[in-house]
Amino acid sequence: MRRIEILAFENAQLLDITGPLQVFASANEEALAAGQPKPYDAIAVARSEQTGTTSGLSLATALLPDDDEPIDTLMVVGGIGVNKACEDAALVDWIRRRSARARRIASVCSGAFLLAEAGLLDGRRAVTHWHRCKEFSKRFPNVRLEPDPIFIQDGNIWTSAGVTAGIDLALALVEADLGRKLALAVARELVVFLKRPGGQAQFSTMLSLQESGDRFDRLHGWIIDNLRADLSLPALAERANMSARSFSRHYRQATGRTPARAVEDIRVEAVRRLLEQGLSVRQARIRCGFGSEETMRRSFLRAFGTTPQAFRDHFG
């Protein structure tokens, strides 16, 4: 079995630990149901046998293994306690030594801070929780941090974005080990909404628009419900009871993007959801109001780094 050690510490994020643990446990269940041996021996480890989390729930954790014990994957979690954990020289040194024995290393959320503190991310691409990207870049300038992806693989090191992205990362590890079919079976068993590709943005277009305030919330809701309607600048300005010039200026001030770009982003995100549900590229294009397949293709490629058909073939 592949030994997976998930490193916890005081005031770690609970879901960073339990999310990946459940993915590996479900992979074991799916393998057994198929008449295969259990592929994983996954365990949470820490410096003590009882480790508190930010949820208020304490976990029973195994003590840090010795350097010579077998290991396949070392996964380091995040949480508000990560800064203090980074100051624990003995813990950081254990990560450094243990990772030298592991086949691969991974981090969830701000667990990337610990990997970087151990010097494991120097010169590598990495990702962490979007909220801590500025802090991370300032502390670890030698790491090629990317703020957007759900997860990144650089060689034998995988890093993921915030919290639930740890589930996406764990599913990707299962797929790398055991194949797409079993990974999708695990995703269905866990009722994960979708198996997201690593290059997908950490948060949706609508969530990022909502962060800009509620001035245009009703308009955004109407756009989502009317993707096949006329969503030109004059039409949107009329719906907002503003002149086209005034609407364009105020919208950009509020959201940081032009109305045309926002409409494109909302449409592309809707296309992605429909492709994941199994609709054809043509059906998705029509439902989401793209005038031509080539226009949709260019927009989708810009947003996700792949074509709609290739996305559907892999994730539909």
Side-chain angles (χ1 to χ4, degrees):
M1 289 194 294
R2 296 170 175 83
R3 167 84 171 190
I4 297 181
E5 294 172 1
I6 299 180
L7 176 64
F9 46 80
E10 200 66 25
N11 285 321
Q13 163 62 246
L14 178 64
L15 197 56
D16 285 9
I17 305 167
T18 56
L21 273 176
Q22 186 57 58
V23 169
F24 298 125
S26 294
N28 284 342
E29 294 169 2
E30 292 293 334
L32 289 173
Q36 302 167 2
K38 290 170 59 176
Y40 296 114
D41 173 23
I43 188 171
V45 302
R47 284 174 64 82
S48 61
E49 295 179 334
Q50 197 80 8
T51 303
T53 67
T54 53
S55 68
L57 181 67
S58 293
L59 299 177
T61 45
L63 294 176
L64 299 180
D66 294 332
D67 295 348
D68 58 354
E69 291 189 27
I71 181 176
D72 178 85
T73 301
L74 173 64
M75 183 176 285
V76 180
V77 305
I80 61 174
V82 73
N83 286 349
K84 188 172 182 179
C86 284
E87 297 171 0
D88 186 338
L91 181 63
V92 172
D93 187 55
W94 180 88
I95 294 172
R96 194 178 295 116
R97 298 193 316 270
R98 198 66 175 141
S99 64
R101 187 172 179 84
R103 176 174 67 93
R104 66 185 170 198
I105 305 100
S107 67
V108 180
C109 194
S110 55
F113 280 74
L114 276 166
L115 294 188
E117 189 69 32
L120 301 177
L121 298 182
D122 286 351
R124 293 183 182 266
R125 297 170 59 234
V127 66
T128 189
H129 193 292
W130 66 269
H131 188 64
R132 303 196 66 178
C133 284
K134 289 183 180 179
E135 176 190 358
F136 186 98
S137 295
K138 185 176 181 179
R139 287 180 59 177
F140 306 108
N142 293 329
V143 181
R144 294 158 54 196
L145 187 71
E146 298 184 18
D148 292 329
I150 294 291
F151 59 84
I152 287 176
Q153 178 189 6
D154 189 331
N156 71 329
I157 297 184
W158 302 61
T159 53
S160 76
V163 195
T164 59
I167 295 175
D168 297 281
L169 173 61
L171 284 168
L173 297 180
V174 169
E175 181 174 0
D177 293 340
L178 307 173
R180 174 172 169 76
K181 182 178 179 180
L182 194 140
L184 287 175
V186 172
R188 286 193 296 267
E189 176 64 25
L190 297 179
V191 199
V192 178
F193 177 60
L194 45 88
K195 185 178 175 297
R196 297 182 290 183
Q200 186 175 321
Q202 289 195 36
F203 45 87
S204 70
T205 297
M206 286 308 302
L207 183 58
S208 63
L209 289 173
Q210 287 169 6
E211 287 189 333
S212 61
D214 60 2
R215 182 174 185 181
F216 295 106
D217 279 357
R218 291 182 64 184
L219 178 63
H220 292 148
W222 182 85
I223 292 173
I224 290 173
D225 291 336
N226 296 273
L227 291 175
R228 298 176 65 178
D230 177 8
L231 301 181
S232 64
L233 174 60
L236 294 178
E238 182 179 356
R239 178 156 289 275
N241 295 317
M242 301 171 72
S243 70
R245 184 176 179 179
S246 178
F247 171 71
S248 182
R249 183 179 74 255
H250 286 290
Y251 189 89
R252 186 157 194 166
Q253 288 175 347
T255 68
R257 67 187 85 185
T258 65
R261 184 55 187 269
V263 168
E264 178 183 315
D265 291 345
I266 292 171
R267 278 178 164 153
V268 165
E269 192 167 276
V271 167
R272 174 183 58 78
R273 290 196 300 269
L274 293 176
L275 294 178
E276 287 163 343
Q277 294 168 19
L279 270 69
S280 70
V281 172
R282 182 177 181 276
Q283 289 171 324
R285 175 183 67 79
I286 293 172
R287 285 201 187 185
C288 296
F290 277 101
S292 71
E293 190 166 319
E294 180 57 28
T295 299
M296 183 178 77
R297 183 182 181 278
R298 289 198 302 267
S299 297
F300 200 92
L301 188 62
R302 180 166 52 246
F304 299 114
T306 188
T307 65
Q309 187 60 56
F311 184 93
R312 183 185 185 278
D313 292 343
H314 192 71
F315 297 103

